[in-house]
Amino acid sequence: MNIYADNAATTKMSKAAIEAMLPYMDEIYGNPSSLHSVGQRANEALADARMRIATLLNCEPREITFTSGGSEADNQALISAAKLGERVGKKHIISTAFEHHAVLHTLDKLGKMGFEITLLDVPENGLITPEEVEAAIRPDTCLVSVMYANNEIGTVQPITEIGAVCRAHGVLFHTDAVQAAGHLHIDIKAQNIDMLSLSAHKFHGPKGIGVLYSKKGILLSNVIEGGAQERGKRAGTENLPAIMGMAAALEEACHSIDEHAAHLIPLRNKLIDGLAQIPHSILNGDKDKRLPSNVHFCFEGIEGESLLLLLDDKGICASSGSACTSGSLDPSHVLLAIGRPHEIAHGSLRLSLSEDVTEEEVDYMIQAVTDVVTYLRNMSPVWRELTSGKSEFIIK
Amino acid sequence: MALYSEKVMDHFRNPRNVGVIENADGVGKVGNAKCGDIMEIYLKIDNDIITDAKFETFGCGSAIASSSMATEMIKGKPVSEAAQLTNKAVTEALDGLPPQKIHCSVLAEEAIKKALDDYYQKNGESK
């Protein structure tokens, strides 16, 4: 059996997205900035895609800036809001300890430029509260950035309420909606969002394309200088095939959000319940307020990379937050943020399901993970010490 | 290119010498769970010859493969020869490791040295 359960990393492109891209490679291949008819046809398509995406998000087309993806959108949103704050002497930014690195590393850079950064603590359930945000707001706060859904543990933040708190205090609110777009409903106006980032390849669109929404009146600072594309705020010839693919993918995804959730949630819960049967395992993140596709566990006494390699041998593609898979000596900052100790965070597993996952596949995953965890524990000196009572279990 | 060589994957998928030796003549444990790697090596030694070696490892694929390969390399060898085993030799025997995984082979070398130290100590000898 082959199961791709790493959809939070990237997704397979949909047929609709691929087909939407093709004409813009060899037929309508003009540069939207060109005056001739080939260019103008491309320009019309660009305007059409911008309008369709704006309609899906409930905003104005001119509030959409096409970027190379979620990371660029996050960078530009934060840098723009910081510069606007600086002009009026506001140099305090609030975010959370479990944001994506595109946000955290940009905040590090702003910190070095003299901004004061408050990273909110994340409780064990992985849910930030509007009260926590409100308590951190100061007279000199210029921006709050809280992700819509966490990329590792999948918890869904109360962004509408957080947005309302920000609005009441006159502070800009940015949300990294990379994991949410196409999977959870987005309504820019109703959700009090000033800036939002999304990335097409997380909802079956192409890689290398994304959107920065920024509310009318928010002056964007360029991250990429050059030509006058995107109202002069993002230089570079527009990646029209990718933009057309993204528009088609977002339409398809947004129209099926409820249907997909209705299919996924019972299967996700079955997978959670099945893996919870493994002794000394723990679910990361709130069980209900999480993405319909996300299952995230820690298993005591084993290490995540060997778990992934053996699951791959059984045809399951998954991901882990262990140090060996993070490319650094520390395990996932998200797991550390919700209070998992290093030893536990190394033994983590993320299964992010695709919308067409079947019950048979869920049953197979439960069995495969149970078998591999048991196998690895049987060769683990940590596990032997735990079971012989020489050391104490952290996960009861 | 795959992350690991075929040799590493073979020793990871089919690790040799997994287990514990009761009343071992030498035991060596290195690493810590916080960093994500622990290796424990057990030696059975007769007349200064390593007659059996076993290991238990908590860690990534290359940590398990390094333990497996290192125990294979010292089995049947005199302790003096086993004491000369280097992480480089383990890495070479595995047809290489990615740069960020070399420390796994270092752990294997250290675990064996520690097990031999334990053996020397139990026998009241110094190296």
Side-chain angles (χ1 to χ4, degrees), chain A residues 41-348:
Chain A
R41 283 183 72 195
N43 196 32
E44 280 162 28
L46 180 65
D48 174 62
R50 196 186 305 278
M51 195 182 67
R52 283 155 57 208
I53 291 171
T55 304
L56 293 168
L57 301 178
N58 192 21
C59 66
E60 303 301 320
R62 58 171 314 218
E63 296 172 315
I64 298 287
T65 303
F66 293 120
T67 67
S68 65
S71 292
E72 187 189 327
D74 283 341
N75 274 253
Q76 191 166 13
L78 270 48
I79 289 166
S80 300
K83 286 195 177 161
L84 286 172
E86 190 173 28
R87 282 185 178 184
V88 291
K90 295 184 173 184
K91 295 184 73 174
H92 176 233
I93 299 171
I94 299 167
S95 188
T96 75
F98 74 159
E99 294 296 312
H100 190 273
H101 284 129
V103 167
L104 291 179
H105 290 175
T106 305
L107 292 175
D108 281 347
K109 188 160 100 177
L110 289 167
K112 288 188 187 114
M113 289 162 61
F115 287 84
E116 199 182 326
I117 315 293
T118 299
L119 293 183
L120 300 175
D121 291 337
V122 184
E124 194 194 353
N125 66 6
L127 296 169
I128 298 289
T129 64
E131 292 77 19
E132 201 183 350
V133 173
E134 187 159 34
I137 293 179
R138 312 190 314 210
D140 63 338
T141 305
C142 61
L143 171 70
V144 169
S145 178
V146 177
M147 65 202 327
Y148 194 158
N150 183 269
N151 52 307
E152 289 187 36
I153 60 173
T155 48
V156 178
Q157 309 307 313
I159 60 156
T160 306
E161 294 76 11
I162 293 171
V165 162
C166 294
R167 203 144 282 182
H169 289 269
V171 176
L172 287 181
F173 174 52
H174 165 256
T175 187
D176 173 345
V178 167
Q179 291 293 331
H183 305 285
L184 301 173
H185 292 287
I186 295 178
D187 184 327
I188 294 283
K189 292 202 177 104
Q191 290 177 297
N192 310 307
I193 298 164
D194 296 317
M195 303 176 105
L196 173 144
S197 312
L198 64 79
S199 178
H201 75 103
K202 306 291 191 185
F203 50 81
H204 306 284
K207 293 164 183 65
I209 192 74
V211 162
L212 168 60
Y213 156 80
S214 61
K215 196 178 152 98
K216 204 162 45 190
I218 297 175
L219 181 67
L220 291 182
S221 300
N222 283 54
V223 171
I224 296 176
E225 303 286 354
Q229 293 88 357
E230 302 299 292
R231 307 172 318 286
K233 297 304 168 196
R234 202 286 183 182
T237 298
E238 300 85 349
N239 185 352
L240 193 57
I243 290 168
M244 301 314 285
M246 171 164 64
L250 191 60
E251 267 171 352
E252 203 179 27
C254 286
H255 291 150
S256 313
I257 287 176
D258 294 328
E259 189 193 320
H260 286 156
H263 172 69
L264 277 172
I265 290 171
L267 291 174
R268 175 200 71 189
N269 290 346
K270 184 176 186 186
L271 184 52
I272 289 174
D273 293 340
L275 296 182
Q277 296 299 311
I278 297 175
H280 306 285
S281 67
I282 192 164
L283 175 71
N284 294 310
D286 189 86
K287 191 178 171 187
D288 297 313
K289 289 177 181 157
R290 67 192 302 125
L291 289 167
S293 56
N294 179 289
V295 173
H296 199 293
F297 269 85
C298 283
F299 304 104
E300 191 157 9
I302 61 160
E303 194 279 332
E305 190 208 79
S306 29
L307 175 61
L308 293 190
L309 291 171
L310 291 174
L311 287 177
D312 193 26
D313 279 351
K314 289 177 183 284
I316 300 170
C317 298
S319 141
S320 169
S322 82
C324 276
T325 58
S326 75
S328 75
L329 287 176
D330 283 322
S332 143
H333 71 287
V334 173
L335 296 175
L336 298 180
I338 62 166
R340 299 282 180 252
H342 280 68
E343 310 64 327
I344 299 302
H346 286 302
S348 67

Side-chain angles (χ1 to χ4, degrees), chain A residues 301-303 305-307 309-310 313 323-324 329 331 342-343 346 375-376 378-382 384-385, chain B residues 3-4 9 12-13 15 18 20 29 33-36 38 40 42 56-62 64 101:
Chain A
I302 61 160
E303 194 279 332
E305 190 208 79
S306 29
L307 175 61
L309 291 171
L310 291 174
D313 279 351
C324 276
L329 287 176
H342 280 68
E343 310 64 327
H346 286 302
Y375 169 78
L376 287 173
N378 283 336
M379 70 162 84
S380 164
V382 177
R384 191 167 39 74
E385 290 206 342
Chain B
L3 174 63
Y4 293 129
M9 287 309 290
F12 167 62
R13 288 191 180 111
V18 174
V20 173
K29 184 175 169 185
K34 211 179 161 204
C35 297
I38 293 187
E40 193 159 7
Y42 299 83
E56 284 189 323
T57 291
F58 160 91
C60 57
S62 58
I64 291 169
K101 300 288 188 181

Side-chain angles (χ1 to χ4, degrees), chain B residues 18-84:
Chain B
V18 174
V20 173
I21 299 175
E22 298 297 336
N23 306 315
D25 298 300
V27 182
K29 184 175 169 185
V30 293
N32 70 69
K34 211 179 161 204
C35 297
D37 285 304
I38 293 187
M39 255 177 225
E40 193 159 7
I41 286 183
Y42 299 83
L43 302 177
K44 189 85 200 155
I45 298 169
D46 271 328
N47 289 325
D48 278 353
I49 302 287
I50 296 171
T51 54
D52 200 8
K54 290 210 179 296
F55 78 89
E56 284 189 323
T57 291
F58 160 91
C60 57
S62 58
I64 291 169
S66 295
S67 326
S68 167
M69 180 55 88
T71 47
E72 279 291 272
M73 290 170 82
I74 58 166
K75 262 172 48 171
K77 298 277 163 63
V79 289
S80 56
E81 202 176 312
Q84 303 301 314

